């Protein structure tokens, strides 16, 4: 058992439904073990700027289980090793300040809740001697070592509901409806929401698509008498021999922003099939709102397990879901990697067997 008396908790990167459920679980489990929790605001900013921290007691987290967002705030451009400040050098390394503030605040350990970027920063601070445990978060579900991240189920449920709604209008007008979903370089949201929503084509980053082959599948549906089609496109999907569609290049501490492929696919399918087509981008609607019950339970289990690992002194780890258990993984083994959809994924193969085209 470790002798942690004061535990810092922060949320980093893009938000995901379930962040507040993790914070609540960490605070409650800590309080019941005699550990004081300190909330750090806006990711590692809470350890860079003064007065960006506050004690968190069970009273402070009452009622937040079902809330989207994060009561601590978050940012996806707050890397202390390359902090974006307006100087001629562009960025500044504030990592020493983070380590100093960690000790000055009397913290014994941190729980860092974040996606691949935030967990990589956490890993670097582990190497600088900070005792910490990571909690994987992302709607994209692309973190290695865990079957699920909380937020994914909520995003898939929302996208599925949207596809259901688009079905009726697509059918009424005999149109092709193209739905662009998030997921960055992984096709998990598109694959799961596409299958759950009964899509006819699912285009994912792992399989470069041939638009002529997608169009042929949709024409075939027309020949059967199914005069409408639903196409789900992951934001990171790209045409064979082509490029990913970007809204903005990486700059000033921001990673590149994906998007726009849905509109391009829509236009190309209109041209190839001669049918009326429309496109919809689900965007941040997938990230907002209340977490599903699955995500609330997973987030709560992650938070509870993180405190257990802190108490046991198992630092440099990340909690993970290995059904039916919540386990610990070494951060060494998970950071810097992306969990993409493998070609032999059973859901992918099942969808193909059912006639869904992936444009390959
Ligand atoms: O990683 C989660 C995610 O929602 C991705 O699916 C998406 O590409 C990205 O974040 C968008 O981030 P933001 O709009 O916050 O920069």
């Amino acid at each position: 058992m470790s002798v942690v008396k004061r535990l810092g908790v922060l949320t980093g990167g893009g938000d995901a439904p379930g962040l507040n459920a993790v914070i609540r679980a960490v605070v409650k489990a800590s309080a019941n073990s005699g550990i004081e929790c300190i909330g750090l605001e806006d990711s590692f900013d809470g350890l860079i700027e003064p007065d960006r921290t506050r004690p968190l007691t069970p009273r402070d987290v009452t009622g937040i289980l079902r809330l989207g967002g994060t009561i601590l705030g978050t940012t996806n451009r707050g890397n202390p090793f390359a902090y974006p400040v307006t100087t001629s050098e562009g960025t500044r390394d504030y990592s020493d300040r983070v380590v100093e503030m960690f000790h000055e605040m009397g913290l014994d350990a941190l729980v860092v809740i974040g996606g691949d970027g935030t967990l990589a920063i956490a890993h670097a601070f582990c190497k600088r001697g900070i005792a910490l445990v990571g909690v994987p978060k992302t709607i994209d579900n692309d973190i290695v070592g865990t079957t699920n991240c909380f937020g994914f189920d909520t995003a898939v449920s929302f996208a599925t509901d949207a596809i259901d709604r688009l079905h009726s209008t697509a059918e009424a007008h005999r149109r092709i409806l193209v739905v662009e979903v998030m997921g960055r370089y992984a096709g998990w949201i598109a694959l799961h929401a596409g299958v759950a929503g009964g899509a006819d084509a699912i285009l994912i980053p792992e399989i470069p698509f041939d638009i002529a082959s997608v169009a042929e599948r949709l024409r075939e549906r027309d020949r059967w008498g199914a005069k409408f089609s639903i196409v789900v496109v992951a934001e990171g999907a790209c045409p064979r021999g082509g490029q990913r569609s970007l809204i903005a290049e990486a700059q000033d501490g921001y990673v590149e922003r994906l998007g726009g492929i849905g509109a391009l696919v829509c236009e190309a399918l209109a041209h190839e099939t001669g049918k009326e087509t429309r496109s919809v981008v689900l965007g941040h609607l997938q990230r907002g709102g209340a977490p599903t019950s699955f995500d609330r339970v997973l987030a709560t289990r992650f938070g509870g397990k993180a405190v257990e690992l802190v108490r046991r002194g198992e630092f440099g780890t990340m909690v993970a879901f290995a059904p039916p258990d919540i386990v610990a993984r070494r951060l060494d083994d998970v950071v810097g990697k992306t969990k993409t959809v493998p070609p032999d994924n059973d859901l992918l193969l099942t969808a193909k067997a059912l006639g869904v085209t992936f444009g390959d």
Side-chain angles (χ1 to χ4, degrees), residues 283-319:
H284 293 81
L285 290 166
Q286 294 158 100
R287 258 166 55 176
T292 58
S293 53
F294 179 89
D295 280 338
R296 293 180 203 193
V297 171
L298 184 62
T300 300
R301 294 177 78 191
F302 276 0
K305 183 72 176 185
V307 174
E308 184 192 315
L309 295 178
V310 165
R311 293 182 65 215
R312 284 210 206 129
E314 290 186 31
F315 300 119
T317 52
M318 174 189 92
V319 301

PDB file of all heavy atoms in Angstrom, residues 283-319:
ATOM      1  N   GLY A 283     -20.724  15.626 -36.202  1.00  0.00           N
ATOM      2  CA  GLY A 283     -19.801  16.480 -35.437  1.00  0.00           C
ATOM      3  C   GLY A 283     -19.858  16.314 -33.931  1.00  0.00           C
ATOM      4  O   GLY A 283     -19.968  15.197 -33.418  1.00  0.00           O
ATOM      5  N   HIS A 284     -19.839  17.463 -33.252  1.00  0.00           N
ATOM      6  CA  HIS A 284     -19.709  17.443 -31.794  1.00  0.00           C
ATOM      7  C   HIS A 284     -20.973  17.000 -31.071  1.00  0.00           C
ATOM      8  O   HIS A 284     -20.935  16.801 -29.858  1.00  0.00           O
ATOM      9  CB  HIS A 284     -19.246  18.818 -31.305  1.00  0.00           C
ATOM     10  CG  HIS A 284     -17.857  19.123 -31.755  1.00  0.00           C
ATOM     11  ND1 HIS A 284     -17.585  19.582 -33.020  1.00  0.00           N
ATOM     12  CD2 HIS A 284     -16.661  18.971 -31.139  1.00  0.00           C
ATOM     13  CE1 HIS A 284     -16.278  19.718 -33.153  1.00  0.00           C
ATOM     14  NE2 HIS A 284     -15.695  19.360 -32.034  1.00  0.00           N
ATOM     15  N   LEU A 285     -22.073  16.827 -31.820  1.00  0.00           N
ATOM     16  CA  LEU A 285     -23.268  16.267 -31.175  1.00  0.00           C
ATOM     17  C   LEU A 285     -22.943  14.895 -30.594  1.00  0.00           C
ATOM     18  O   LEU A 285     -23.532  14.465 -29.601  1.00  0.00           O
ATOM     19  CB  LEU A 285     -24.409  16.135 -32.193  1.00  0.00           C
ATOM     20  CG  LEU A 285     -25.010  17.462 -32.669  1.00  0.00           C
ATOM     21  CD1 LEU A 285     -25.877  17.260 -33.900  1.00  0.00           C
ATOM     22  CD2 LEU A 285     -25.829  18.089 -31.541  1.00  0.00           C
ATOM     23  N   GLN A 286     -21.969  14.202 -31.229  1.00  0.00           N
ATOM     24  CA  GLN A 286     -21.589  12.866 -30.755  1.00  0.00           C
ATOM     25  C   GLN A 286     -20.861  12.914 -29.411  1.00  0.00           C
ATOM     26  O   GLN A 286     -20.744  11.917 -28.712  1.00  0.00           O
ATOM     27  CB  GLN A 286     -20.668  12.193 -31.782  1.00  0.00           C
ATOM     28  CG  GLN A 286     -21.352  11.886 -33.090  1.00  0.00           C
ATOM     29  CD  GLN A 286     -20.367  11.735 -34.240  1.00  0.00           C
ATOM     30  OE1 GLN A 286     -20.025  10.630 -34.629  1.00  0.00           O
ATOM     31  NE2 GLN A 286     -19.907  12.830 -34.795  1.00  0.00           N
ATOM     32  N   ARG A 287     -20.316  14.066 -29.072  1.00  0.00           N
ATOM     33  CA  ARG A 287     -19.516  14.194 -27.857  1.00  0.00           C
ATOM     34  C   ARG A 287     -20.277  14.812 -26.697  1.00  0.00           C
ATOM     35  O   ARG A 287     -19.845  14.736 -25.558  1.00  0.00           O
ATOM     36  CB  ARG A 287     -18.290  15.068 -28.151  1.00  0.00           C
ATOM     37  CG  ARG A 287     -17.058  14.275 -28.336  1.00  0.00           C
ATOM     38  CD  ARG A 287     -15.943  15.037 -28.939  1.00  0.00           C
ATOM     39  NE  ARG A 287     -15.566  16.258 -28.260  1.00  0.00           N
ATOM     40  CZ  ARG A 287     -14.532  17.010 -28.655  1.00  0.00           C
ATOM     41  NH1 ARG A 287     -13.811  16.623 -29.686  1.00  0.00           N
ATOM     42  NH2 ARG A 287     -14.222  18.101 -28.035  1.00  0.00           N
ATOM     43  N   GLY A 288     -21.388  15.480 -27.022  1.00  0.00           N
ATOM     44  CA  GLY A 288     -22.110  16.202 -25.973  1.00  0.00           C
ATOM     45  C   GLY A 288     -23.174  15.347 -25.313  1.00  0.00           C
ATOM     46  O   GLY A 288     -23.427  14.217 -25.719  1.00  0.00           O
ATOM     47  N   GLY A 289     -23.781  15.911 -24.282  1.00  0.00           N
ATOM     48  CA  GLY A 289     -24.934  15.277 -23.649  1.00  0.00           C
ATOM     49  C   GLY A 289     -24.586  14.225 -22.628  1.00  0.00           C
ATOM     50  O   GLY A 289     -23.417  13.973 -22.330  1.00  0.00           O
ATOM     51  N   ALA A 290     -25.645  13.617 -22.116  1.00  0.00           N
ATOM     52  CA  ALA A 290     -25.501  12.661 -21.023  1.00  0.00           C
ATOM     53  C   ALA A 290     -24.897  11.341 -21.501  1.00  0.00           C
ATOM     54  O   ALA A 290     -25.207  10.878 -22.594  1.00  0.00           O
ATOM     55  CB  ALA A 290     -26.873  12.408 -20.420  1.00  0.00           C
ATOM     56  N   PRO A 291     -24.018  10.736 -20.692  1.00  0.00           N
ATOM     57  CA  PRO A 291     -23.493   9.422 -21.053  1.00  0.00           C
ATOM     58  C   PRO A 291     -24.577   8.351 -20.941  1.00  0.00           C
ATOM     59  O   PRO A 291     -25.493   8.463 -20.126  1.00  0.00           O
ATOM     60  CB  PRO A 291     -22.386   9.173 -20.011  1.00  0.00           C
ATOM     61  CG  PRO A 291     -22.636  10.124 -18.893  1.00  0.00           C
ATOM     62  CD  PRO A 291     -23.451  11.265 -19.449  1.00  0.00           C
ATOM     63  N   THR A 292     -24.457   7.310 -21.777  1.00  0.00           N
ATOM     64  CA  THR A 292     -25.368   6.166 -21.661  1.00  0.00           C
ATOM     65  C   THR A 292     -25.103   5.448 -20.340  1.00  0.00           C
ATOM     66  O   THR A 292     -24.061   5.660 -19.693  1.00  0.00           O
ATOM     67  CB  THR A 292     -25.100   5.155 -22.801  1.00  0.00           C
ATOM     68  OG1 THR A 292     -23.727   4.737 -22.726  1.00  0.00           O
ATOM     69  CG2 THR A 292     -25.383   5.753 -24.168  1.00  0.00           C
ATOM     70  N   SER A 293     -26.006   4.548 -19.989  1.00  0.00           N
ATOM     71  CA  SER A 293     -25.805   3.799 -18.734  1.00  0.00           C
ATOM     72  C   SER A 293     -24.529   2.963 -18.820  1.00  0.00           C
ATOM     73  O   SER A 293     -23.782   2.852 -17.845  1.00  0.00           O
ATOM     74  CB  SER A 293     -27.025   2.927 -18.427  1.00  0.00           C
ATOM     75  OG  SER A 293     -27.325   2.120 -19.528  1.00  0.00           O
ATOM     76  N   PHE A 294     -24.231   2.425 -20.010  1.00  0.00           N
ATOM     77  CA  PHE A 294     -22.998   1.632 -20.167  1.00  0.00           C
ATOM     78  C   PHE A 294     -21.777   2.498 -19.849  1.00  0.00           C
ATOM     79  O   PHE A 294     -20.877   2.090 -19.106  1.00  0.00           O
ATOM     80  CB  PHE A 294     -22.892   1.078 -21.597  1.00  0.00           C
ATOM     81  CG  PHE A 294     -21.629   0.271 -21.825  1.00  0.00           C
ATOM     82  CD1 PHE A 294     -21.605  -1.085 -21.566  1.00  0.00           C
ATOM     83  CD2 PHE A 294     -20.457   0.886 -22.273  1.00  0.00           C
ATOM     84  CE1 PHE A 294     -20.427  -1.829 -21.752  1.00  0.00           C
ATOM     85  CE2 PHE A 294     -19.288   0.166 -22.452  1.00  0.00           C
ATOM     86  CZ  PHE A 294     -19.274  -1.203 -22.196  1.00  0.00           C
ATOM     87  N   ASP A 295     -21.754   3.711 -20.407  1.00  0.00           N
ATOM     88  CA  ASP A 295     -20.606   4.595 -20.170  1.00  0.00           C
ATOM     89  C   ASP A 295     -20.533   5.067 -18.721  1.00  0.00           C
ATOM     90  O   ASP A 295     -19.441   5.235 -18.168  1.00  0.00           O
ATOM     91  CB  ASP A 295     -20.645   5.792 -21.131  1.00  0.00           C
ATOM     92  CG  ASP A 295     -20.112   5.415 -22.511  1.00  0.00           C
ATOM     93  OD1 ASP A 295     -19.366   4.418 -22.606  1.00  0.00           O
ATOM     94  OD2 ASP A 295     -20.447   6.104 -23.493  1.00  0.00           O
ATOM     95  N   ARG A 296     -21.676   5.277 -18.099  1.00  0.00           N
ATOM     96  CA  ARG A 296     -21.660   5.682 -16.677  1.00  0.00           C
ATOM     97  C   ARG A 296     -21.051   4.586 -15.817  1.00  0.00           C
ATOM     98  O   ARG A 296     -20.252   4.851 -14.909  1.00  0.00           O
ATOM     99  CB  ARG A 296     -23.083   5.955 -16.174  1.00  0.00           C
ATOM    100  CG  ARG A 296     -23.706   7.157 -16.808  1.00  0.00           C
ATOM    101  CD  ARG A 296     -25.119   7.364 -16.268  1.00  0.00           C
ATOM    102  NE  ARG A 296     -25.882   8.148 -17.225  1.00  0.00           N
ATOM    103  CZ  ARG A 296     -27.033   8.712 -16.977  1.00  0.00           C
ATOM    104  NH1 ARG A 296     -27.594   8.574 -15.793  1.00  0.00           N
ATOM    105  NH2 ARG A 296     -27.663   9.408 -17.891  1.00  0.00           N
ATOM    106  N   VAL A 297     -21.441   3.343 -16.132  1.00  0.00           N
ATOM    107  CA  VAL A 297     -20.930   2.210 -15.339  1.00  0.00           C
ATOM    108  C   VAL A 297     -19.433   2.028 -15.597  1.00  0.00           C
ATOM    109  O   VAL A 297     -18.638   1.874 -14.658  1.00  0.00           O
ATOM    110  CB  VAL A 297     -21.722   0.917 -15.675  1.00  0.00           C
ATOM    111  CG1 VAL A 297     -21.067  -0.303 -15.034  1.00  0.00           C
ATOM    112  CG2 VAL A 297     -23.158   1.052 -15.200  1.00  0.00           C
ATOM    113  N   LEU A 298     -19.046   2.083 -16.879  1.00  0.00           N
ATOM    114  CA  LEU A 298     -17.620   1.898 -17.212  1.00  0.00           C
ATOM    115  C   LEU A 298     -16.778   3.003 -16.571  1.00  0.00           C
ATOM    116  O   LEU A 298     -15.724   2.737 -15.967  1.00  0.00           O
ATOM    117  CB  LEU A 298     -17.438   1.907 -18.734  1.00  0.00           C
ATOM    118  CG  LEU A 298     -16.018   1.636 -19.233  1.00  0.00           C
ATOM    119  CD1 LEU A 298     -15.545   0.239 -18.828  1.00  0.00           C
ATOM    120  CD2 LEU A 298     -15.941   1.784 -20.764  1.00  0.00           C
ATOM    121  N   ALA A 299     -17.245   4.246 -16.682  1.00  0.00           N
ATOM    122  CA  ALA A 299     -16.501   5.384 -16.118  1.00  0.00           C
ATOM    123  C   ALA A 299     -16.387   5.244 -14.600  1.00  0.00           C
ATOM    124  O   ALA A 299     -15.336   5.522 -14.009  1.00  0.00           O
ATOM    125  CB  ALA A 299     -17.203   6.690 -16.489  1.00  0.00           C
ATOM    126  N   THR A 300     -17.454   4.797 -13.972  1.00  0.00           N
ATOM    127  CA  THR A 300     -17.441   4.621 -12.514  1.00  0.00           C
ATOM    128  C   THR A 300     -16.452   3.525 -12.124  1.00  0.00           C
ATOM    129  O   THR A 300     -15.662   3.663 -11.177  1.00  0.00           O
ATOM    130  CB  THR A 300     -18.864   4.284 -12.016  1.00  0.00           C
ATOM    131  OG1 THR A 300     -19.724   5.375 -12.364  1.00  0.00           O
ATOM    132  CG2 THR A 300     -18.899   4.060 -10.512  1.00  0.00           C
ATOM    133  N   ARG A 301     -16.457   2.432 -12.892  1.00  0.00           N
ATOM    134  CA  ARG A 301     -15.513   1.334 -12.604  1.00  0.00           C
ATOM    135  C   ARG A 301     -14.071   1.808 -12.815  1.00  0.00           C
ATOM    136  O   ARG A 301     -13.172   1.472 -12.039  1.00  0.00           O
ATOM    137  CB  ARG A 301     -15.811   0.133 -13.509  1.00  0.00           C
ATOM    138  CG  ARG A 301     -17.159  -0.509 -13.219  1.00  0.00           C
ATOM    139  CD  ARG A 301     -17.439  -1.636 -14.191  1.00  0.00           C
ATOM    140  NE  ARG A 301     -16.733  -2.867 -13.872  1.00  0.00           N
ATOM    141  CZ  ARG A 301     -16.641  -3.918 -14.683  1.00  0.00           C
ATOM    142  NH1 ARG A 301     -17.199  -3.876 -15.882  1.00  0.00           N
ATOM    143  NH2 ARG A 301     -15.994  -4.993 -14.321  1.00  0.00           N
ATOM    144  N   PHE A 302     -13.851   2.596 -13.881  1.00  0.00           N
ATOM    145  CA  PHE A 302     -12.497   3.130 -14.144  1.00  0.00           C
ATOM    146  C   PHE A 302     -12.034   4.013 -12.971  1.00  0.00           C
ATOM    147  O   PHE A 302     -10.890   3.900 -12.517  1.00  0.00           O
ATOM    148  CB  PHE A 302     -12.492   3.964 -15.428  1.00  0.00           C
ATOM    149  CG  PHE A 302     -12.325   3.172 -16.709  1.00  0.00           C
ATOM    150  CD1 PHE A 302     -12.179   1.789 -16.701  1.00  0.00           C
ATOM    151  CD2 PHE A 302     -12.284   3.828 -17.939  1.00  0.00           C
ATOM    152  CE1 PHE A 302     -12.000   1.071 -17.884  1.00  0.00           C
ATOM    153  CE2 PHE A 302     -12.106   3.122 -19.130  1.00  0.00           C
ATOM    154  CZ  PHE A 302     -11.975   1.746 -19.107  1.00  0.00           C
ATOM    155  N   GLY A 303     -12.926   4.902 -12.514  1.00  0.00           N
ATOM    156  CA  GLY A 303     -12.549   5.809 -11.419  1.00  0.00           C
ATOM    157  C   GLY A 303     -12.231   5.045 -10.142  1.00  0.00           C
ATOM    158  O   GLY A 303     -11.240   5.322  -9.460  1.00  0.00           O
ATOM    159  N   GLY A 304     -13.069   4.059  -9.838  1.00  0.00           N
ATOM    160  CA  GLY A 304     -12.850   3.247  -8.633  1.00  0.00           C
ATOM    161  C   GLY A 304     -11.540   2.483  -8.717  1.00  0.00           C
ATOM    162  O   GLY A 304     -10.760   2.420  -7.750  1.00  0.00           O
ATOM    163  N   LYS A 305     -11.284   1.914  -9.910  1.00  0.00           N
ATOM    164  CA  LYS A 305     -10.053   1.127 -10.093  1.00  0.00           C
ATOM    165  C   LYS A 305      -8.824   2.032 -10.010  1.00  0.00           C
ATOM    166  O   LYS A 305      -7.788   1.635  -9.455  1.00  0.00           O
ATOM    167  CB  LYS A 305     -10.093   0.418 -11.455  1.00  0.00           C
ATOM    168  CG  LYS A 305      -8.920  -0.484 -11.728  1.00  0.00           C
ATOM    169  CD  LYS A 305      -8.985  -1.746 -10.893  1.00  0.00           C
ATOM    170  CE  LYS A 305      -7.863  -2.714 -11.237  1.00  0.00           C
ATOM    171  NZ  LYS A 305      -7.989  -3.983 -10.505  1.00  0.00           N
ATOM    172  N   ALA A 306      -8.939   3.253 -10.546  1.00  0.00           N
ATOM    173  CA  ALA A 306      -7.792   4.179 -10.514  1.00  0.00           C
ATOM    174  C   ALA A 306      -7.388   4.457  -9.066  1.00  0.00           C
ATOM    175  O   ALA A 306      -6.202   4.458  -8.728  1.00  0.00           O
ATOM    176  CB  ALA A 306      -8.142   5.475 -11.243  1.00  0.00           C
ATOM    177  N   VAL A 307      -8.384   4.664  -8.202  1.00  0.00           N
ATOM    178  CA  VAL A 307      -8.064   4.926  -6.790  1.00  0.00           C
ATOM    179  C   VAL A 307      -7.459   3.679  -6.140  1.00  0.00           C
ATOM    180  O   VAL A 307      -6.517   3.760  -5.356  1.00  0.00           O
ATOM    181  CB  VAL A 307      -9.317   5.430  -6.030  1.00  0.00           C
ATOM    182  CG1 VAL A 307      -9.032   5.563  -4.532  1.00  0.00           C
ATOM    183  CG2 VAL A 307      -9.764   6.772  -6.604  1.00  0.00           C
ATOM    184  N   GLU A 308      -7.964   2.523  -6.525  1.00  0.00           N
ATOM    185  CA  GLU A 308      -7.394   1.267  -5.986  1.00  0.00           C
ATOM    186  C   GLU A 308      -5.905   1.165  -6.371  1.00  0.00           C
ATOM    187  O   GLU A 308      -5.059   0.821  -5.540  1.00  0.00           O
ATOM    188  CB  GLU A 308      -8.176   0.085  -6.561  1.00  0.00           C
ATOM    189  CG  GLU A 308      -7.764  -1.274  -6.022  1.00  0.00           C
ATOM    190  CD  GLU A 308      -8.386  -2.397  -6.850  1.00  0.00           C
ATOM    191  OE1 GLU A 308      -9.593  -2.331  -7.174  1.00  0.00           O
ATOM    192  OE2 GLU A 308      -7.639  -3.346  -7.192  1.00  0.00           O
ATOM    193  N   LEU A 309      -5.585   1.490  -7.628  1.00  0.00           N
ATOM    194  CA  LEU A 309      -4.185   1.421  -8.078  1.00  0.00           C
ATOM    195  C   LEU A 309      -3.322   2.454  -7.351  1.00  0.00           C
ATOM    196  O   LEU A 309      -2.177   2.174  -6.989  1.00  0.00           O
ATOM    197  CB  LEU A 309      -4.094   1.623  -9.599  1.00  0.00           C
ATOM    198  CG  LEU A 309      -4.754   0.544 -10.455  1.00  0.00           C
ATOM    199  CD1 LEU A 309      -4.641   0.894 -11.946  1.00  0.00           C
ATOM    200  CD2 LEU A 309      -4.130  -0.824 -10.204  1.00  0.00           C
ATOM    201  N   VAL A 310      -3.906   3.642  -7.125  1.00  0.00           N
ATOM    202  CA  VAL A 310      -3.187   4.684  -6.374  1.00  0.00           C
ATOM    203  C   VAL A 310      -2.876   4.165  -4.968  1.00  0.00           C
ATOM    204  O   VAL A 310      -1.754   4.284  -4.465  1.00  0.00           O
ATOM    205  CB  VAL A 310      -4.027   5.986  -6.308  1.00  0.00           C
ATOM    206  CG1 VAL A 310      -3.494   6.936  -5.248  1.00  0.00           C
ATOM    207  CG2 VAL A 310      -4.054   6.674  -7.673  1.00  0.00           C
ATOM    208  N   ARG A 311      -3.858   3.569  -4.325  1.00  0.00           N
ATOM    209  CA  ARG A 311      -3.665   3.082  -2.947  1.00  0.00           C
ATOM    210  C   ARG A 311      -2.622   1.969  -2.899  1.00  0.00           C
ATOM    211  O   ARG A 311      -1.877   1.844  -1.943  1.00  0.00           O
ATOM    212  CB  ARG A 311      -4.990   2.587  -2.387  1.00  0.00           C
ATOM    213  CG  ARG A 311      -5.998   3.719  -2.186  1.00  0.00           C
ATOM    214  CD  ARG A 311      -7.284   3.222  -1.597  1.00  0.00           C
ATOM    215  NE  ARG A 311      -7.090   2.710  -0.252  1.00  0.00           N
ATOM    216  CZ  ARG A 311      -7.755   1.684   0.261  1.00  0.00           C
ATOM    217  NH1 ARG A 311      -8.650   1.047  -0.458  1.00  0.00           N
ATOM    218  NH2 ARG A 311      -7.534   1.296   1.492  1.00  0.00           N
ATOM    219  N   ARG A 312      -2.593   1.156  -3.975  1.00  0.00           N
ATOM    220  CA  ARG A 312      -1.627   0.062  -4.007  1.00  0.00           C
ATOM    221  C   ARG A 312      -0.236   0.504  -4.461  1.00  0.00           C
ATOM    222  O   ARG A 312       0.684  -0.282  -4.511  1.00  0.00           O
ATOM    223  CB  ARG A 312      -2.102  -0.994  -5.005  1.00  0.00           C
ATOM    224  CG  ARG A 312      -3.215  -1.838  -4.505  1.00  0.00           C
ATOM    225  CD  ARG A 312      -3.072  -3.197  -5.184  1.00  0.00           C
ATOM    226  NE  ARG A 312      -4.350  -3.835  -5.244  1.00  0.00           N
ATOM    227  CZ  ARG A 312      -4.897  -4.343  -6.324  1.00  0.00           C
ATOM    228  NH1 ARG A 312      -4.253  -4.298  -7.472  1.00  0.00           N
ATOM    229  NH2 ARG A 312      -6.054  -4.916  -6.274  1.00  0.00           N
ATOM    230  N   GLY A 313      -0.159   1.769  -4.908  1.00  0.00           N
ATOM    231  CA  GLY A 313       1.135   2.265  -5.385  1.00  0.00           C
ATOM    232  C   GLY A 313       1.498   1.727  -6.756  1.00  0.00           C
ATOM    233  O   GLY A 313       2.659   1.722  -7.144  1.00  0.00           O
ATOM    234  N   GLU A 314       0.484   1.315  -7.537  1.00  0.00           N
ATOM    235  CA  GLU A 314       0.758   0.801  -8.894  1.00  0.00           C
ATOM    236  C   GLU A 314       0.719   1.956  -9.893  1.00  0.00           C
ATOM    237  O   GLU A 314      -0.265   2.151 -10.609  1.00  0.00           O
ATOM    238  CB  GLU A 314      -0.255  -0.288  -9.264  1.00  0.00           C
ATOM    239  CG  GLU A 314      -0.045  -1.552  -8.459  1.00  0.00           C
ATOM    240  CD  GLU A 314      -0.952  -2.697  -8.914  1.00  0.00           C
ATOM    241  OE1 GLU A 314      -1.289  -2.768 -10.103  1.00  0.00           O
ATOM    242  OE2 GLU A 314      -1.333  -3.491  -8.045  1.00  0.00           O
ATOM    243  N   PHE A 315       1.803   2.719  -9.905  1.00  0.00           N
ATOM    244  CA  PHE A 315       1.855   3.924 -10.746  1.00  0.00           C
ATOM    245  C   PHE A 315       2.444   3.612 -12.123  1.00  0.00           C
ATOM    246  O   PHE A 315       3.022   2.548 -12.338  1.00  0.00           O
ATOM    247  CB  PHE A 315       2.654   5.005 -10.028  1.00  0.00           C
ATOM    248  CG  PHE A 315       2.038   5.394  -8.708  1.00  0.00           C
ATOM    249  CD1 PHE A 315       2.742   5.222  -7.516  1.00  0.00           C
ATOM    250  CD2 PHE A 315       0.748   5.895  -8.655  1.00  0.00           C
ATOM    251  CE1 PHE A 315       2.163   5.558  -6.303  1.00  0.00           C
ATOM    252  CE2 PHE A 315       0.156   6.236  -7.443  1.00  0.00           C
ATOM    253  CZ  PHE A 315       0.872   6.066  -6.260  1.00  0.00           C
ATOM    254  N   GLY A 316       2.286   4.577 -13.036  1.00  0.00           N
ATOM    255  CA  GLY A 316       2.763   4.348 -14.408  1.00  0.00           C
ATOM    256  C   GLY A 316       1.838   3.396 -15.136  1.00  0.00           C
ATOM    257  O   GLY A 316       2.216   2.770 -16.124  1.00  0.00           O
ATOM    258  N   THR A 317       0.605   3.318 -14.649  1.00  0.00           N
ATOM    259  CA  THR A 317      -0.371   2.384 -15.229  1.00  0.00           C
ATOM    260  C   THR A 317      -1.581   3.143 -15.776  1.00  0.00           C
ATOM    261  O   THR A 317      -1.759   4.329 -15.510  1.00  0.00           O
ATOM    262  CB  THR A 317      -0.879   1.395 -14.160  1.00  0.00           C
ATOM    263  OG1 THR A 317      -1.333   2.159 -13.041  1.00  0.00           O
ATOM    264  CG2 THR A 317       0.211   0.440 -13.725  1.00  0.00           C
ATOM    265  N   MET A 318      -2.408   2.403 -16.497  1.00  0.00           N
ATOM    266  CA  MET A 318      -3.675   2.940 -17.010  1.00  0.00           C
ATOM    267  C   MET A 318      -4.732   1.887 -16.705  1.00  0.00           C
ATOM    268  O   MET A 318      -4.475   0.686 -16.886  1.00  0.00           O
ATOM    269  CB  MET A 318      -3.557   3.113 -18.528  1.00  0.00           C
ATOM    270  CG  MET A 318      -4.825   3.534 -19.232  1.00  0.00           C
ATOM    271  SD  MET A 318      -4.650   3.451 -21.031  1.00  0.00           S
ATOM    272  CE  MET A 318      -5.233   1.773 -21.388  1.00  0.00           C
ATOM    273  N   VAL A 319      -5.892   2.299 -16.232  1.00  0.00           N
ATOM    274  CA  VAL A 319      -6.978   1.331 -16.048  1.00  0.00           C
ATOM    275  C   VAL A 319      -7.501   0.948 -17.431  1.00  0.00           C
ATOM    276  O   VAL A 319      -7.397   1.734 -18.383  1.00  0.00           O
ATOM    277  CB  VAL A 319      -8.112   1.879 -15.153  1.00  0.00           C
ATOM    278  CG1 VAL A 319      -7.590   2.254 -13.783  1.00  0.00           C
ATOM    279  CG2 VAL A 319      -8.806   3.079 -15.796  1.00  0.00           C
TER     280      VAL A 319
END
